[in-house]
Amino acid sequence: MSRQAPVNAQTPALEVVSISKRFPGSQALDRVSLAIRRGEIRALVGENGAGKSTLMNIVMGLLHPDTGTILRHGRAVDIPDPLAAQALRLGMVPQELNLVPNLTVAENINLGALPGSRLRVDWPAAHRRAADILRRIGGNIDSRQRVAALSMAQRQLVQISRALVFGAEIMIFDEPTASLTHAETERLFGLIRDFRAAGGSVFYISHRLEEIRDLTDTITVLRDGRKVADLETASTSIATIISHMAGREVESAHRQTAGPAGRPVVRVENLTRNGEFEDVSFTLHEGEILGFAGLVGAGRTELMRCLCGDSRPDDGRVMVGLDGGLEAVSFSHPADAIRAGISYVPEERRNLGIFPQLGVMENMAMPALRAFSRLGLTLDRTRLRRAAAGAVRDVGVKTSGLDQCIATLSGGNQQKAIIARWILRPCRVLVLDEPTRGIDVNAKGEIYHLLRSLIRDRGMSVIVVSSELQELLDVADRIVVMHEGRVRGEVIPGSDTTQEDILRHALDGEAVGGSTGERV
């Protein structure tokens, strides 16, 4: 990727001075100061819980600082709410999308500023504006389509379009590429560079440090709510960034491999769901981590939802290991799959994974309430708290207490709490869809170790769906590669296996080269 020098400017376009913010039980920000110039792309990096999103939410008026000042073009400004931020030409693409599913793409993009008069909306103008923005970022999306019908990647593009349509001069991108394909990511980066060339400024938050190196001009590192470094990207190595983030030298992830694969615990034969995936077959063995790779739209998530009872297949069958052998099962509801020992951790943590207004223990206990009830009538909270405390300790959730609101935890700790559900309600097969999305490099390693410990200590087998190819190479024993709803090959990670070996299958569906195995 080509780099372009930022536009020089004397007065910062935006400056935050000594910003502090405290939540119950934690100091989220402690006297943080930073500035961004006109025509600059500044990365904001740090481990989960370092304060990156909190700081940007303060800039956007979503949170209010306890102390500190925000300057716009050198003048102190008050940003009490997002409308005030919008008036200051600030825009944000949040990590957790906040679209309205039942509205159309055009309605979402123009939300809050629909063209027309007080008495009548100019719908043709709204659709033209939406279509123009989508065309600029390469989003092949019908502006009249409802957002609920879009894929995650398409929703991400709509969210980006909504931020751009208001003429922002400073843009905040919080993990914007988590659900984008390589081609969509390249288009987004091109758009960001064009935005910079026109004098715009960008705060860019990402745990993908290679993106940081490719795209940004400067880097601010936060750790435990404090700024610890301002760096020039061109002269900074990834190892240096990680060291600042962690406050110590961090070892590279080492592959942990399982022993010899045990007997089959799940076998899928010729499973088909029209319009989503077709003729899919694979086997998951005891004590194994089976990875699923593929580009956005390959059908991986749809396959896992069907396997876990959230949808029903049109053809094929699923067999589960019961009483020493495999038996065909039919799930009409996720509860059926849970009873059969198959549990699911979804990709969309905020919308599908957590109950954001409830505490850590309550979130963990949801599938296990019956096991902790007295005669099915009252909840034995003493026994539940004891078991929840043990699960928190086992999976390493960092929390101020079992009653802390789960929405205030970092992404990595939320994910651990979700996984801990399936310790309170034991399962044999754990299916994880994008388990480290939005999680920092150190928390990823903790998740990988956790999965191996669940296999070793609790006898689980694991399926991992991930768009990060290196993650699959690091954690999986075998990788099934899907392309346009079909299984196109299998890769067995080894010392000489590369991401290109997976991409050969994922991009064109042809089994050419790479370290492949026969057992699918």
Side-chain angles (χ1 to χ4, degrees), residues 248-407:
R248 62 189 186 278
E249 294 296 326
V250 179
E251 295 182 4
S252 300
H254 297 288
R255 268 193 56 77
Q256 300 181 50
T257 56
R263 61 188 178 185
V265 292
V266 173
R267 178 168 291 156
V268 171
E269 295 181 346
N270 309 113
L271 205 66
T272 297
R273 181 170 166 83
N274 295 334
E276 294 183 353
F277 53 86
E278 183 177 358
D279 200 29
V280 172
S281 299
F282 66 89
T283 301
L284 173 68
H285 296 83
E286 197 173 58
E288 178 181 43
I289 296 181
L290 180 62
F292 272 78
L295 304 180
V296 173
R300 299 163 302 160
T301 293
E302 293 79 4
L303 173 65
M304 296 306 145
R305 290 177 58 191
C306 186
L307 174 64
C308 297
D310 196 40
S311 62
R312 303 198 68 176
D314 295 307
D315 200 4
R317 65 175 181 169
V318 175
M319 294 191 295
V320 176
L322 299 171
D323 300 323
L326 289 171
E327 297 182 15
V329 294
S330 178
F331 302 144
S332 58
H333 190 275
D336 298 333
I338 292 172
R339 281 190 287 269
I342 302 177
S343 302
Y344 182 53
V345 176
E347 174 185 7
E348 291 190 70
R349 211 167 31 239
R350 179 182 178 182
N351 294 326
L352 301 177
I354 66 171
F355 299 88
Q357 296 181 346
L358 299 183
V360 173
M361 183 181 73
E362 293 167 311
N363 269 272
M364 290 168 53
M366 279 300 173
L369 292 176
R370 187 179 298 275
F372 292 94
S373 66
R374 299 186 184 97
L375 303 177
L377 299 176
T378 59
L379 192 62
D380 187 343
R381 297 189 69 86
T382 300
R383 191 159 59 93
L384 174 58
R385 290 188 77 85
R386 188 164 52 246
V392 162
R393 184 175 57 252
D394 289 348
V395 302
V397 179
K398 296 175 183 175
T399 172
S400 62
L402 294 176
D403 298 320
Q404 182 178 353
C405 179
I406 196 170

Side-chain angles (χ1 to χ4, degrees), residues 76-140:
V77 294
D78 182 33
I79 310 180
D81 52 47
L83 285 177
Q86 183 178 306
L88 291 168
R89 301 288 187 174
L90 308 178
M92 183 174 184
V93 179
Q95 180 179 350
E96 302 290 353
L97 305 186
N98 56 8
L99 302 174
V100 184
N102 291 327
L103 297 184
T104 67
V105 169
E107 288 170 324
N108 270 276
I109 290 175
N110 290 280
L111 198 61
L114 285 165
S117 66
R118 292 184 178 181
L119 300 178
R120 180 178 176 275
V121 174
D122 187 345
W123 289 113
H127 285 287
R128 283 195 303 271
R129 181 193 288 173
D132 177 61
I133 289 288
L134 288 167
R135 186 165 50 251
R136 283 173 52 200
I137 67 172
N140 186 23

Side-chain angles (χ1 to χ4, degrees), residues 478-504:
R478 291 183 297 131
I479 303 169
V480 175
V481 188
M482 294 185 66
H483 174 78
E484 295 184 349
R486 288 178 172 267
V487 172
R488 298 297 190 176
E490 179 183 311
V491 172
I492 299 179
S495 59
D496 60 344
T497 312
T498 67
Q499 296 184 33
E500 286 72 22
D501 296 330
I502 301 173
L503 282 171
R504 287 188 181 96

